[in-house]
């Protein structure tokens, strides 16, 4: 028996279309979403569009403003840079402080997580990777390393910072620069850990933090 092929619903099609335009920066942060216009463009009623917007709201990509309507979530470059600075400080510090607690037996799991992430990029269809799954896979890779350092408060603050940057981080992993470089950059982090080389680890983490940064900033508001 041939496997059943799942046909996407109208709301799923609307969701994918709007999300793609957001992540490709074709619609900008703060821009108002005209539901009627999207309905006409997509050839569907307003109901699937509203359902798609509700899902995108859960992901932090859009927001509903009373008496105004739906808008693309806004984050200023100034706010982004402040959060990115905090994120960088936390990730570098956690990686460095985790290093003494990581044993050789722990390293194969890092390689496995990185390979799984690469497979997610390879397995997508129609040229559209599942960015939610890839972002989760990326976070699993990094958090696996960070949690070797026993400081739940720092981990919690980092997780909240990731959440606050969710829109920017989805843009980040959709960039060609990230796609082309993340695997090798993760391997550089793993190699530094394998050699127990703190200086190389810091350099590898800092390099990875710069990957796709200019693409993210280009999609944000100047104010």
């Amino acid at each position: 028996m041939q496997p059943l092929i799942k046909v996407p619903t109208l709301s799923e099609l609307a969701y994918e279309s709007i999300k793609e335009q957001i992540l490709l920066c074709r619609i900008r942060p703060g821009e108002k979403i005209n539901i009627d216009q999207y309905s006409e463009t997509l050839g569907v009623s307003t109901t699937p569009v509203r359902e798609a917007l509700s899902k995108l709201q859960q992901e932090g990509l859009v927001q509903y403003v009373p008496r105004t309507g739906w808008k693309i979530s806004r984050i200023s470059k100034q706010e982004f840079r402040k959060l990115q600075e905090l994120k960088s400080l936390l990730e570098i510090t956690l990686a460095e402080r985790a290093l003494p607690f990581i044993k050789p037996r722990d390293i194969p799991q890092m390689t496995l997580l990185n390979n799984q992430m690469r497979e997610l990029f390879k397995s997508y269809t129609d040229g559209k990777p599942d960015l939610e799954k890839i972002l989760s896979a990326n976070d699993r890779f990094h958090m696996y390393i960070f949690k070797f350092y026993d400081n739940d408060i720092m981990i919690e603050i980092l997780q909240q910072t990731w959440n606050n940057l969710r829109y920017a981080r989805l843009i980040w992993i959709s960039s060609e620069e990230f796609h082309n470089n993340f695997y090798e950059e993760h391997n550089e982090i793993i190699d530094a850990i394998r050699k127990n080389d703190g200086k190389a680890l810091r350099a590898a983490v800092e390099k990875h933090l710069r990957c796709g940064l200019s693409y993210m900033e280009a999609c944000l508001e100047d104010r």
Side-chain angles (χ1 to χ4, degrees):
M1 178 182 292
Q2 292 292 328
L4 295 176
I5 299 175
K6 185 180 182 298
V7 178
T9 64
L10 293 177
S11 63
E12 288 172 339
L13 291 172
Y15 163 82
E16 292 294 343
S17 176
I18 297 171
K19 184 172 183 177
E20 180 180 31
Q21 292 187 64
I22 293 172
L23 296 179
L24 291 176
C25 302
R26 291 174 183 160
I27 44 180
R28 308 285 288 188
E31 187 174 330
K32 188 174 180 180
I33 299 172
N34 187 317
I35 291 179
D36 292 330
Q37 181 180 335
Y38 271 99
S39 298
E40 183 177 348
T41 300
L42 298 171
V44 299
S45 68
T46 59
T47 299
V49 176
R50 293 180 190 277
E51 291 173 348
L53 291 174
S54 294
K55 184 175 180 182
L56 290 166
Q57 183 182 35
Q58 294 172 10
E59 297 175 4
L61 295 180
V62 303
Q63 58 185 149
Y64 182 77
V65 182
R67 298 184 297 278
T68 300
W70 291 95
K71 287 187 174 184
I72 307 302
S73 295
R74 181 194 297 270
I75 179 172
S76 69
K77 286 185 179 179
Q78 183 180 23
E79 181 183 2
F80 167 76
R81 286 167 181 163
K82 290 177 180 178
L83 287 168
Q84 183 67 14
E85 181 180 14
L86 175 60
K87 173 179 175 291
S88 299
L89 287 171
L90 287 169
E91 291 191 11
I92 292 168
T93 301
L94 283 166
E96 287 182 324
R97 296 191 179 185
L99 183 58
F101 302 100
I102 301 174
K103 308 300 181 186
R105 65 175 179 271
D106 302 316
I107 293 174
Q109 180 65 17
M110 299 175 198
T111 302
L112 176 64
L113 291 170
N114 195 28
N115 288 340
Q116 287 175 345
M117 187 174 169
R118 181 177 61 174
E119 289 306 310
L120 284 175
F121 268 109
K122 286 183 175 181
S123 63
Y124 64 79
T125 57
D126 301 324
K128 297 178 181 178
D130 188 325
L131 296 178
E132 294 289 335
K133 286 185 178 179
I134 292 171
L135 183 59
S136 294
N138 178 76
D139 291 353
R140 282 194 299 273
F141 171 82
H142 290 286
M143 197 59 79
Y144 176 78
I145 296 170
F146 300 152
K147 285 188 174 180
F148 281 97
Y149 181 60
D150 187 16
N151 189 322
D152 293 343
I153 295 175
M154 287 181 70
I155 293 291
E156 185 178 341
I157 294 172
L158 176 60
Q159 186 63 65
Q160 185 59 53
T161 306
W162 282 356
N163 293 342
N164 291 339
L165 284 168
R166 185 171 184 81
Y167 170 71
R169 296 181 77 228
L170 284 168
I171 292 175
W172 167 58
I173 64 167
S174 71
S175 70
E176 185 175 353
E177 183 181 356
F178 180 86
H179 187 179
N180 291 338
N181 294 297
F182 83 88
Y183 184 73
E184 290 304 324
E185 290 181 357
H186 282 180
N187 278 335
E188 288 176 13
I189 291 172
I190 294 170
D191 190 52
I193 292 172
R194 183 181 292 110
K195 294 175 180 176
N196 197 31
D197 187 334
K199 185 177 180 180
L201 177 59
R202 183 183 183 92
V205 173
E206 288 178 340
K207 178 182 177 181
H208 188 49
L209 285 165
R210 292 191 298 270
C211 181
L213 200 58
S214 59
Y215 182 81
M216 270 194 287
E217 288 213 353
C219 294
L220 302 178
E221 294 288 292
D222 289 328
R223 296 190 301 277

